[in-house]
Amino acid sequence: MATLSVLKADTGGYVGHSATHPDLVEAAETLLKGKKEDGTLLDFCVGQVGDDVALILSHTRGAESEAIHRVAWEVFQQTTDVAKRLKLYGAGQDLLSDAFSGNLKGLGPGIAEMEIDERPSEPVLVFLADKTEPGAWNLPLYRIFADPFNTPGLVIDPKMHDGFVFEILDLKADQAARFKTPEESYDLLMFIGAPSHYVVRRVLRAQDEEVVAATSTQKLSLMAGRYVGKDDPVMIVRAQSGFPAVGEILEAFARPHLVGGWMRGSHVGPIMPVGFRDAVASRFDGPPRVACYGFQLNRGRLVGPRDLFADVAFDPARRQAGEMAEMMRSMGPFEPHRLPLDEMEYTTMPEIMARVRDRFVPVEEAPLEERQEGTAATGR
Ligand code: F6R
Ligand code: MG
Ligand code: MG
């Protein structure tokens, strides 16, 4: 049984929060090469999207292995050192603690892991997103595993015909629940339609409870209690032969949807599917991006990656995302381009409110003109 662990962190941006520096990637690759040679890892690939570096690791140590999490911790410490030497932006931004205590969960990096009993052929897709949050996967996961207009296999592949089970997390209450589609689709949608509150953590095939998708569900802002950068999620999805086809999985990104997390983690924008070359975030620090690394697993080895969104057939989706970005930008500091007050990651609201609090009076009391005579608010 092989385990796939994808661990992603922003340990320094180049330039600003737009991309990663090649020296960080080189440092990660050098360290991971040693870990492959000494047998800790079966294989690895270093991925990039925006200002994040993702470690895609295969091994035989199971999910939440201390040895594997320690490797990732060492890599992120080292990339942080390189970032500090180069004075890159926000060096070590996603590492919330200086000490490793056996598990990276809760320390900052986004983590998705899956134990895979390798089939005769095992295609696996790894999605990396920047300038957004884990709930960004909710809509595409619904399309992939519950919408026959996206995934004809739900209707015509006998192995998928029984549907899928969605495991969701309530980020605010720290609770989990399961819903089975198609029977409970409407119940499921009530929750996952609120992606900043409920996120899909895993999807299982109903017939045999095989895990087919896993996401990172950390939410940095809730973890740190203050702004520490968006959580920039990752996702692993297995494909083909009784699971959705590669093209059914990718199709869920062909009509871009709106997600939270653009500029200052405080704006809504379209998520744009991009090839590796375009996996940077410059315009208004975005718009949010998603890249897809395709692999064939071969006895735990990662054969790949293939750059699956590089296909020119995704050009219309990119164009549409560009148009949606333009529309959203025209609204400037107004919702729904700006996130609601309680979801913004930067806010001066408490300061502004403290300064003007005495201007707010119960509406039924004396007219404003009398109470606020002489203040700027009256306009006199
Ligand atoms: C970072 C992000 C960016 C920053 C913005 C301001 O992931 O979303 O939009 O929030 O560039 O960054 P600071 O406050 O670091 O100057
Ligand atoms: Mg950053
Ligand atoms: Mg990022």
Side-chain angles (χ1 to χ4, degrees):
M1 176 102 75
T3 308
L4 209 54
S5 300
V6 182
L7 307 104
K8 181 155 85 76
D10 173 356
T11 54
Y14 167 65
V15 173
H17 292 284
S18 65
T20 51
H21 191 281
D23 288 5
L24 263 62
V25 177
E26 198 188 310
E29 280 173 344
T30 306
L31 200 145
L32 292 176
K33 199 158 162 269
K35 297 294 176 186
K36 183 173 164 181
E37 278 160 13
D38 75 12
T40 311
L41 301 175
L42 287 174
D43 208 354
F44 71 89
C45 168
V46 178
Q48 300 169 65
V49 63
D51 54 1
D52 307 324
V53 173
L55 316 179
I56 303 168
L57 311 178
S58 74
H59 53 93
T60 52
R61 290 157 201 267
E64 299 202 26
S65 146
E66 175 165 352
I68 298 301
H69 283 220
R70 184 178 297 284
V71 166
W73 179 255
E74 280 171 29
V75 172
F76 292 137
Q77 292 290 329
Q78 220 159 97
T79 53
T80 298
D81 288 346
V82 175
K84 283 184 175 158
R85 267 205 305 279
L86 291 172
K87 279 187 67 181
L88 296 184
Y89 195 68
Q93 171 184 298
D94 282 355
L95 302 184
L96 303 182
S97 163
D98 293 331
F100 178 73
S101 54
N103 193 309
L104 267 191
K105 270 199 175 149
L107 294 190
I111 307 161
E113 300 192 284
M114 199 190 271
E115 292 178 31
I116 297 176
D117 200 358
E118 215 178 280
R119 297 169 293 166
S121 180
E122 186 67 60
V124 179
L125 311 189
V126 174
F127 291 88
L128 310 176
D130 187 43
K131 305 295 183 264
T132 184
E133 56 190 11
W137 305 129
N138 288 8
L139 188 150
L141 281 172
Y142 186 84
R143 281 183 181 151
I144 296 165
F145 293 105
D147 179 3
F149 281 77
N150 181 88
T151 305
L154 294 167
V155 180
I156 63 183
D157 183 337
K159 286 204 187 133
M160 289 165 62
H161 198 84
D162 281 350
F164 288 87
V165 175
F166 286 69
E167 199 171 275
I168 68 166
L169 268 195
D170 177 338
L171 289 176
K172 294 186 181 165
D174 224 0
Q175 291 180 326
R178 283 185 175 193
F179 293 90
K180 155 108 180 41
T181 57
E183 298 87 328
E184 300 177 321
S185 305
Y186 299 165
D187 292 340
L188 172 70
L189 285 169
M190 181 50 87
F191 295 100
I192 65 170
S196 62
H197 191 155
Y198 297 94
V199 300
V200 180
R201 175 167 68 176
R202 293 199 305 174
V203 182
L204 297 80
R205 181 165 55 189
Q207 198 185 57
D208 50 8
E209 302 227 322
E210 271 284 298
V211 179
V212 51
T215 70
S216 59
T217 47
Q218 296 73 22
K219 208 159 154 49
L220 279 177
S221 54
L222 297 186
M223 273 157 39
R226 68 193 157 84
Y227 178 75
V228 284
K230 264 286 169 191
D231 353 338
D232 298 339
V234 299
M235 169 164 81
I236 307 170
V237 188
R238 299 167 73 187
Q240 306 287 158
S241 192
F243 293 140
V246 168
E248 288 170 330
I249 298 167
L250 299 174
E251 182 65 9
F253 294 88
R255 286 169 204 86
H257 60 292
L258 294 168
V259 297
W262 195 0
M263 180 50 87
R264 296 180 184 274
S266 305
H267 290 79
V268 170
I271 188 155
M272 183 184 271
V274 288
F276 299 163
R277 203 193 52 166
D278 298 314
V280 292
S282 305
R283 181 184 176 187
F284 198 56
D285 288 355
R289 302 288 151 123
V290 55
C292 182
Y293 286 65
F295 300 97
Q296 287 289 149
L297 274 190
N298 176 12
R299 298 167 188 86
R301 295 279 143 78
L302 294 161
V303 181
R306 270 220 61 224
D307 182 358
L308 289 169
F309 283 137
D311 183 358
V312 291
F314 282 98
D315 286 350
R318 293 187 260 277
R319 218 165 21 249
Q320 191 185 341
E323 283 158 15
M324 289 162 79
E326 197 53 36
M327 192 273 137
M328 296 304 281
R329 284 298 304 122
S330 73
M331 293 200 62
F334 283 80
E335 296 177 15
H337 182 31
R338 200 181 74 181
L339 280 167
L341 288 173
D342 59 339
E343 283 177 37
M344 284 197 295
E345 292 195 344
Y346 287 56
T347 182
T348 43
M349 181 64 167
E351 270 164 50
I352 298 177
M353 195 43 143
R355 188 154 40 75
V356 301
R357 179 168 302 283
D358 56 355
R359 294 194 206 168
F360 287 83
V361 297
V363 272
E364 65 276 11
E365 283 185 12
L368 279 181
E369 299 83 59
E370 275 172 40
R371 295 183 57 90
Q372 297 188 347
E373 219 162 335
T375 69
T378 63
R380 286 181 211 160

